[in-house]
Amino acid sequence: MKVIQRIFCTLLVLYALQSCQYNDICTAEVPTTPKLRIEFHDQQRPGLLKAAESFNVRALGDTAYYFSAPINDTTAAIPLRTDKKETAYELIFHQGDSLETKRDTLIFTYNTDEIFISRACGFKSIFTDFDVTYTPTSKGWIKNIQIPDTTKRITDDTKAALFIYF
Amino acid sequence: MTQKLLFLFIFSLLLGSSFTGSAQEKHGVKVVNDTAVYKERYGLRIGIDLSRPARGFLDKKYSGLELGADYRFNERFYPAIEIGYENFEYDENYFSAKSQGSYAKLGVNYNAYKNWIGLQNELYAGLRYGFSSFSEELHNFTIYDKDQYFPPDYREDSQKFSSLSGHWLELQLGIKAEIMHNVFLGLHVELKRLISSKNPDNFESLWIPGFNRHYDGSEFGIGWGYSISYLLPIYTKERKEVRK
C-alpha cells in the first residue's frame, strides 16, 4: 500500500503543478513599439547638441500636452500613431517660462509594419519610409530638420531618428 | 472544474474493490495443493479519455477528444497509442487566437506494480513520442505601446496559419485500476518536452494540440488524463504462486 500512496502523492503534486504558469508579463526591457527620438542641435555649430529649454509637444487637435511638465534636454522621445500613416505635432519652445513661447508644426509620415513579439506582449509596430514635412513660420523656432537614417526606418528609440536644428 | 473530476476518480477508485484484494474469488483464482493458479488475461485494451469531453462541456473555449489503446506484450510491458484532436480558443492580454488540430502519441508503458494474484491493476511509467499537425488563426490584436498618449490601436484582422507541426517526447505516470470485469479506470499525468515545432511566420505556436500550452522560453509542458477502457481478452497466461 505504501508504494501506491507514494505514487498517488506524486500524481497529485504533478497535477497541482499544472496550474502553475510561467510569469507571462511583458517586461520593460522587451523592445516594443518604438517612439520617435529627437536630438536637438545647435544651428550655428551643427555637430553640437543643444538643450531645448522648456520643450513640450502636443498632437494637433489634442488638448493634452505629451510631457506633464516642460523638459530641458538635448533629446526627447515622442510616440507616433500606429493606426494612421501620419502624426502631426506642435513643438513648443519656452513653454511657460520667462521667454516668449514659440511653436512649430511638424507632420510625420510613414508606413507601419506589425511584428509579433511574444505571447505576453503581442504585436508591435515599426515605422518605414519615415518622412517629415515642415513649413517654417515667423512664430517658429526650428531652423532646420534632418533625418539621419538613410534607410528611413524606425525600429527602436535608442538612437535619434530626427535632428532638429535651432 | 478539474477538482471535480479528480475527486470523482478517487471516489471511484475507493469503490472498486480491486485494491483491497477481496475480489480474489470473483477473479477466478483456483487454489490447488498450496499453489494458487490464475489465468491472466492478455489482450487489446481500448479506451477513451474522459477529461477532454468533460472540459469541453465545462469550457466553451475548448473541445477535444482522445482515444487510446494498449496491448499487453508481456508481464510488464504494454505498447500503447493515443490519438486525438483538440480545438482551443485562447484570449491573451493583447490578442485572441485559436489553435486546432490532431495529434498522435506512440510508446510503451511499463507496469511497476506487482499485483496480488487475481488482480490486473497497473501503476505504470510510460514513454511516448508525440506529434501534432495543426493550424492557428489569429482573430484580433492590439498594438503594444508603452505610451498611453494615443488611444489603443485595435485591429480586427483574421490571419490563418496552416501546416504547423510539433514533435515531442513524453513521460507518463499513471494508475489503471480494474473496477469491473475487464473495465479499467485510468488516471495519469504527463511531462512533455518539445523536440521541434514548425512556427508560423510573424506569429508563434502558442498552443499545440496534445502538447498543451507552449510557454515563452520553455520547451517543457505538462498534461494529464482520466480515462475509461475495456480489455478485449485474446488469450490467457497462467500465473502460479506457491502459498507459503
Side-chain angles (χ1 to χ4, degrees), chain B residues 121-139:
Chain B
N121 301 312
E122 284 166 59
L123 208 64
Y124 66 90
L127 275 181
R128 296 281 188 282
Y129 167 68
F131 53 92
S132 168
S133 173
F134 63 104
S135 68
E136 281 187 322
E137 189 178 324
L138 175 66
H139 301 311

Side-chain angles (χ1 to χ4, degrees), chain B residues 99 202 231:
Chain B
S99 192
N202 201 29
L231 174 67

Side-chain angles (χ1 to χ4, degrees), chain A residues 59-129:
Chain A
L60 273 194
D62 223 317
T63 50
Y65 289 95
Y66 178 65
F67 296 107
S68 48
I71 63 167
N72 293 305
D73 209 342
T74 56
T75 177
I78 58 175
L80 293 169
R81 292 191 81 115
T82 57
D83 56 349
K84 294 196 166 74
K85 287 189 193 285
E86 70 164 46
T87 311
Y89 268 117
E90 190 183 39
L91 280 74
I92 302 120
F93 193 42
H94 291 307
Q95 182 191 44
D97 65 5
S98 54
L99 300 175
E100 185 200 344
T101 304
K102 299 206 171 174
R103 298 161 197 276
D104 269 297
T105 301
L106 293 183
I107 302 176
F108 303 107
T109 57
Y110 41 82
N111 284 316
T112 60
D113 238 340
E114 286 67 51
I115 296 178
F116 185 73
I117 313 167
S118 66
R119 173 204 295 275
C121 305
F123 288 82
K124 67 177 177 186
S125 275
I126 58 153
F127 307 95
T128 59
D129 306 315

Side-chain angles (χ1 to χ4, degrees), chain A residues 1 7-8 11 14-15 18 21-22 32-33 35 59 64 66 82-83 114-116 119-120 123 125, chain B residues 2-3 19 92 94-95 123 143-144 146-147 149 153 155 173 175 189 202 206 213-215 218 222 224:
Chain A
M1 267 307 146
I7 300 280
F8 208 69
L11 291 183
L14 283 174
Y15 159 74
Q18 217 195 175
Q21 285 194 353
Y22 281 93
T32 56
T33 303
K35 293 211 255 265
Y66 178 65
T82 57
D83 56 349
E114 286 67 51
I115 296 178
F116 185 73
R119 173 204 295 275
F123 288 82
S125 275
Chain B
T2 46
Q3 321 281 28
F19 276 122
E92 300 295 334
Y94 295 100
F95 61 92
L123 208 64
I143 296 283
Y144 190 95
K146 286 195 186 91
D147 225 274
Y149 188 60
D153 183 1
R155 311 273 181 102
L173 291 175
I175 303 174
V189 290
N202 201 29
L206 294 169
R213 211 165 272 256
H214 179 206
Y215 285 99
S218 173
I222 48 176
W224 68 288

Side-chain angles (χ1 to χ4, degrees), chain A residues 2-76:
Chain A
K2 262 209 182 146
V3 178
I4 300 168
Q5 280 165 3
R6 240 179 258 156
I7 300 280
F8 208 69
C9 281
T10 315
L11 291 183
L12 281 177
V13 166
L14 283 174
Y15 159 74
L17 281 178
Q18 217 195 175
S19 55
C20 294
Q21 285 194 353
Y22 281 93
N23 226 352
D24 264 355
I25 298 176
C26 194
T27 52
E29 306 96 58
V30 179
T32 56
T33 303
K35 293 211 255 265
L36 166 65
R37 183 158 288 281
I38 307 171
E39 229 170 53
F40 302 106
H41 289 245
D42 193 334
Q43 166 72 348
Q44 314 293 337
R45 294 170 294 176
L48 276 183
L49 295 177
K50 185 173 169 188
E53 286 149 36
S54 306
F55 173 75
N56 211 335
V57 292
R58 176 168 66 170
L60 273 194
D62 223 317
T63 50
Y65 289 95
Y66 178 65
F67 296 107
S68 48
I71 63 167
N72 293 305
D73 209 342
T74 56
T75 177

Side-chain angles (χ1 to χ4, degrees), chain A residues 7-8 11-12 15, chain B residues 2 5-7 9-10 13 49 51 122-124 172-177 184-190 224-228:
Chain A
I7 300 280
F8 208 69
L11 291 183
L12 281 177
Y15 159 74
Chain B
T2 46
L5 296 172
L6 185 66
F7 182 71
F9 174 72
I10 297 170
L13 258 191
D49 178 272
S51 66
E122 284 166 59
L123 208 64
Y124 66 90
Q172 289 189 5
L173 291 175
I175 303 174
K176 280 208 170 82
F184 293 78
L185 269 188
L187 176 68
H188 71 275
V189 290
E190 303 159 356
W224 68 288
Y226 175 42
S227 64
I228 187 163

